[in-house]
Amino acid sequence: MSVDALVEAAKLTPNDYASGQEVRWCPGCGDYAILAQVKKTLASLGLPREKTVFISGIGCSSRFPYYVNTYGIHGIHGRAPAIATGLKCTRPDLHVWVITGDGDGLSIGGNHLMHVIRRNVDLTILLFNNRIYGLTKGQSSPTTPLGHPTKSNPFGTLEHPVNAISLAIGAEATFVARSIDVYQKHLAMVLERAAAHKGTSFVEIYQNCVVFYDGAWEYATDRQVKEDHILELEHGKPMLFGKNRNKGIRFRGCLPEIVELGDGVTEADIAVHDEKAADPTLAYVLSRMRYPDFPEPIGVFRAVEQPTYDGLLNEQLAKAIAARGGPRSLDDLFHEGDTWVVPEDGTPAR
């Protein structure tokens, strides 16, 4: 066989990325759809299993590393971004994914998530958002809607929910996107783009919990109404939506408004999406558009190129080593600079 034929024969399929572990999520959980699409993405990108690592915290989503045939770390609550940062900085050759949920990533892990994003570490972060704590049986999470009754707030939660996309853009993430578990073709596009991006890729995935918050995203998934409630962002294209694509988003200054084509309103009046804008203001404004006042955007909000933290760190280390004449041993480091000698006879050190 030719070299090309051997390479073709060696290509991995989605099944090659499946571990031998029994997948233990509730029947009907949206996590199954995400897992299936991630395995397809790994295969389509040809990522070597021995060069791919999934790191998670705690929660239903965080069981993910058990179910993929790659390296993985099931970390502690909220700390996956910190673990992933250390790994990527010391092993820049690896493809590192962070799997987290709205509870794990936005509550105890919120600080770590914010800083890994602002540093622009070369990671792919998937945040599964089901608006509830599932693994611990239905308490309010940071994304539970105001007033929604839960096990921990039976009369309705009193906290305003965190907007994950706004948080990521506020930290100036270089790649920010949103998709939905049942939108398999759209999810595939988002995952492939996120994995290919150099820098921190942050992807929020609306995911349904059939046990503790079934129908949390029904307005975005019901075939009868979803076209009127979802705005699919496409770079360089007007922001049109609706079953007949006869509605659009127009800006009055910095404020968006919904308009309908006709009666003097043409497609030329509709705002055009620019995911590559250096200034994140437009992306942030789009992140504030929420149902029921606006159609909720899905797709890529922002995709810009900036130096990565891990790249800059390793460049800095290489320069420091070169300036000192090459690598130093640990013994060399212990005996350089200010040192003290403690005489055996107990006289004062000098």
Side-chain angles (χ1 to χ4, degrees):
M1 297 177 68
S2 68
V3 174
D4 289 342
L6 287 171
V7 171
E8 186 68 25
K11 281 187 175 179
L12 299 176
T13 69
N15 286 337
D16 291 319
Y17 292 94
S19 74
Q21 295 290 320
E22 177 188 0
V23 182
R24 300 184 65 182
W25 286 316
C26 300
C29 176
D31 288 357
Y32 286 98
I34 302 172
L35 174 62
Q37 197 54 64
V38 168
K39 289 188 293 186
K40 290 179 182 177
T41 299
L42 296 174
S44 68
L45 295 175
L47 298 184
R49 289 176 295 181
E50 70 277 8
K51 292 286 188 178
T52 305
V53 185
F54 284 85
I55 301 176
S56 66
I58 297 297
C60 295
S61 63
S62 292
R63 298 187 61 82
F64 207 94
Y66 293 107
Y67 305 144
V68 282
N69 189 15
T70 65
Y71 284 107
I73 299 174
H74 191 176
I76 58 177
H77 210 352
R79 271 64 176 189
I83 299 170
T85 297
L87 179 60
K88 185 63 182 182
C89 289
T90 54
R91 287 292 305 273
D93 58 309
L94 299 179
H95 302 275
V96 183
W97 298 64
V98 172
I99 306 296
T100 186
D102 50 301
D104 179 68
L106 297 175
S107 57
I108 192 171
N111 180 57
H112 294 287
L113 183 66
M114 176 184 68
H115 290 298
V116 77
I117 288 173
R118 76 174 180 86
R119 289 175 179 140
N120 197 34
V121 184
D122 188 18
L123 308 171
T124 303
I125 303 173
L126 307 184
L127 186 141
F128 299 13
N129 184 358
N130 58 16
R131 300 177 124 181
I132 203 78
Y133 277 101
L135 186 66
T136 49
K137 307 301 182 287
Q139 299 95 326
S140 302
S141 87
T143 59
T144 302
L146 181 67
H148 182 77
T150 67
K151 294 289 185 64
S152 56
N153 297 88
F155 299 107
T157 181
L158 302 175
E159 300 172 352
H160 288 275
V162 173
N163 184 322
I165 297 292
S166 294
L167 176 67
I169 296 172
E172 299 199 29
T174 54
F175 184 96
V176 186
R178 175 190 286 145
S179 192
I180 303 174
D181 54 5
V182 295
Y183 285 30
Q184 286 291 283
K185 184 177 179 180
H186 186 269
L187 181 58
M189 177 276 293
V190 167
L191 291 177
E192 288 190 13
R193 289 200 56 191
H197 178 74
K198 189 72 172 176
T200 301
S201 301
F202 179 82
V203 180
E204 178 187 35
I205 305 173
Y206 285 175
Q207 176 261 331
N208 192 47
C209 175
V210 294
V211 175
F212 296 108
Y213 199 164
D214 194 20
W217 308 112
E218 189 172 13
Y219 64 85
T221 58
D222 188 329
R223 293 183 180 182
Q224 301 299 317
V225 298
K226 65 180 184 180
E227 286 88 354
D228 289 321
H229 299 157
I230 289 296
L231 169 65
E232 188 168 344
L233 300 173
E234 297 180 83
H235 179 65
K237 294 186 178 181
M239 301 181 197
L240 295 171
F241 68 100
K243 289 184 178 180
N244 301 315
R245 293 189 64 78
N246 63 335
K247 301 175 185 177
I249 300 299
R250 181 174 66 184
F251 281 88
R252 296 284 190 184
C254 292
L255 298 178
E257 64 177 1
I258 298 172
V259 294
E260 192 166 337
L261 299 180
D263 294 330
V265 178
T266 68
E267 194 168 303
D269 298 305
I270 305 303
V272 174
H273 181 48
D274 182 8
E275 66 182 35
K276 300 184 182 301
D279 189 301
T281 301
L282 174 61
Y284 184 82
V285 172
L286 291 174
S287 77
R288 307 307 300 171
M289 289 171 42
R290 305 303 296 264
Y291 172 84
D293 299 316
F294 288 96
E296 288 197 12
I298 62 171
V300 179
F301 289 72
R302 189 170 194 241
V304 297
E305 297 296 329
Q306 291 180 7
T308 65
Y309 176 84
D310 47 296
L312 293 172
L313 175 64
N314 281 289
E315 287 179 13
Q316 190 178 73
L317 288 174
K319 290 178 180 178
I321 291 172
R324 289 170 174 261
R328 310 291 297 279
S329 70
L330 188 59
D331 191 60
D332 290 335
L333 296 174
F334 276 142
H335 289 87
E336 73 175 12
D338 293 330
T339 60
W340 290 264
V341 176
V342 179
E344 294 183 0
D345 60 6
T347 57
R350 56 184 177 83

